[in-house]
Amino acid sequence: MAVTTSSTTRIPTRTAKRTRGPALRDDRPVLVLSELDDATADSVIMELLARDVPVVRLDPGVDFPSDTTFAARLDEAGSWAGDLATGTRRLDLTSVRAVYRRRPTPHAPSPILRPHEGEFAAREARQGFSGILANLPNCLYVNHPDANRAAAMKARQLTVAARLGFRVPATLITNDLAQARAFALKHGHVIYKPLTHVRHMTPEGPLTIWTQPVHADELDDTIAGTAHLFQCLVDKVADLRVTVVGEQVFCIRIDSDPRQLDWRYDYDRLTYTWCETPPGLAHPMVRYLEHFGLAFGCFDFGLTAEGEQVFFECNPNGQWSWLEERTGAPIAAAFADLLKGGA
């Protein structure tokens, strides 16, 4: 496995989503929202504690309401004030400097309630409890759930990327068989990939839909059943996963042997190199994150033999911990730097 180190690219500070409130205090905690079994959140928490930053960890879908009570009052200035208490901790809602929304468990209906009552209670918890946590005063969000939802939409990602000057593959989204076949015939080499993350559990294990090549004669009437995303195949020699955290950029080159269309298909074939960010790439990534109000994002590019970077997507809550493990890139430390700075 190839591993090299590289200096970290720094980019100008962007505007991330914040809400109005009182002045900062040095003892303000970072609120981490994630499931209990989350090694990525663990690594960021350890970095924060090493900087003497207090941390409160909570999993909304699990801890509320079974182990958590809260009360939030709207003041005359339009800010929420109050507190939150678990079995072991109490949190002043106005004291939170930053929220790291990593992988919280969604609110689900309680099994002890009748189905319609449980669904109602889950919706109320989502709007009330998680609604307050998404609107804390004077707080930096990494990332805000509203920003994540907007930035996760593939059609909007590709629109923004193209307008910012990234090279984007020719793309068609359709349920029209004739249009899909015409697109495939025009471009010759075409791929299909899902518009959303797909992961289903089956008796044989998790089922995922990978990016895959398609030919015009393989397309049939099932195209009409839903929207499909087709793109011109990019002749790439490697992939770049670029993780942007606050002012810091970590560019990792991913090579596979033999070469894979979708590098996620088999991680055992991959080698990783922490490398310099290609010239001219940092600025449009900054503008991309600014457009969506994000403080963090994982960009995926295909790298051609000529050294051109082709935009594939930006995951606003992408995975990165295994890249730090493989290359030594200090991404968790970058998160701690960002969260410690707070608002």
Side-chain angles (χ1 to χ4, degrees):
M1 176 177 64
V3 176
T4 63
T5 59
S6 173
S7 60
T8 302
T9 302
R10 289 189 174 270
I11 54 179
T13 304
R14 70 192 54 75
T15 302
K17 185 161 185 173
R18 311 162 192 267
T19 52
R20 182 174 54 186
L24 291 171
R25 297 196 302 271
D26 291 339
D27 61 346
R28 297 181 72 191
V30 170
L31 177 60
V32 176
L33 303 178
S34 194
E35 60 191 9
L36 181 61
D37 185 17
D38 184 357
T40 300
D42 293 343
S43 65
V44 174
I45 289 171
M46 294 300 294
E47 290 284 348
L48 287 166
L49 295 177
R51 292 161 170 74
D52 296 320
V53 177
V55 176
V56 175
R57 183 172 185 163
L58 186 71
D59 188 0
V62 173
D63 297 329
F64 181 81
S66 59
D67 188 47
T68 303
T69 60
F70 81 108
R73 299 168 297 279
L74 188 66
D75 63 23
E76 293 181 355
S79 293
W80 291 102
D83 57 22
L84 177 156
T86 70
T88 58
R89 301 291 298 273
R90 181 171 294 274
L91 175 67
D92 177 356
L93 296 175
T94 65
S95 72
V96 179
R97 73 168 75 195
V99 175
Y100 179 32
R101 191 177 185 277
R102 161 62 188 159
R103 188 187 283 173
T105 302
H107 295 283
S110 171
I112 66 174
L113 298 175
R114 289 182 293 180
H116 69 279
E117 293 174 339
E119 292 171 2
F120 172 77
R123 290 195 301 270
E124 293 296 285
R126 190 178 306 115
Q127 292 293 321
F129 184 65
S130 288
I132 290 296
L133 297 184
N135 288 279
L136 298 178
N138 201 39
C139 186
L140 170 69
Y141 283 86
V142 185
N143 288 311
H144 195 280
D146 293 346
N148 273 356
R149 278 191 291 271
M153 183 175 291
K154 289 290 195 300
R156 190 171 180 184
Q157 284 191 20
L158 295 169
T159 297
V160 173
R163 290 177 178 175
L164 290 175
F166 289 111
R167 177 185 163 188
V168 176
T171 303
L172 173 71
I173 300 176
T174 186
N175 75 328
D176 186 309
L177 174 59
Q179 293 285 343
R181 283 179 172 167
F183 183 83
L185 288 169
K186 176 181 178 181
H187 293 285
H189 299 286
V190 172
I191 59 96
Y192 161 80
K193 60 183 177 182
L195 289 154
T196 58
H197 176 68
V198 179
R199 187 176 177 84
H200 299 297
M201 293 306 299
T202 69
E204 293 75 31
L207 172 65
T208 299
I209 299 178
W210 308 106
T211 299
Q212 53 193 290
V214 295
H215 301 280
D217 57 4
E218 297 175 321
L219 302 175
D220 59 31
D221 291 336
T222 59
I223 291 289
T226 190
H228 295 72
L229 187 152
F230 301 100
Q231 287 185 323
C232 180
L233 177 68
V234 175
D235 186 14
K236 63 180 183 178
V237 296
D239 290 88
L240 298 179
R241 165 58 74 94
V242 187
T243 303
V244 182
V245 187
E247 299 179 17
Q248 301 183 58
V249 182
F250 302 91
C251 183
I252 310 296
R253 174 173 169 147
I254 302 176
D255 290 276
S256 61
D257 184 20
R259 193 177 301 172
Q260 298 181 122
L261 177 60
D262 189 328
W263 56 262
R264 301 168 301 170
Y265 182 74
D266 189 347
Y267 285 82
D268 291 338
R269 299 182 187 178
L270 305 181
T271 57
Y272 307 87
T273 307
W274 178 19
C275 57
E276 296 290 343
T277 305
L281 197 61
H283 182 63
M285 287 192 296
V286 173
R287 294 179 61 198
Y288 183 100
L289 294 182
E290 287 177 341
H291 175 89
F292 287 105
L294 300 171
F296 149 69
C298 290
F299 291 81
D300 285 313
F301 298 92
L303 183 66
T304 69
E306 295 73 32
E308 187 175 16
Q309 305 87 44
V310 183
F311 178 92
F312 290 153
E313 65 179 350
C314 176
N315 189 330
N317 196 22
Q319 304 293 333
W320 51 266
S321 60
W322 97 102
L323 295 172
E324 179 172 75
E325 179 182 344
R326 297 294 192 275
T327 68
I331 304 174
F335 271 92
D337 291 341
L338 177 62
L339 293 163
K340 180 180 180 179

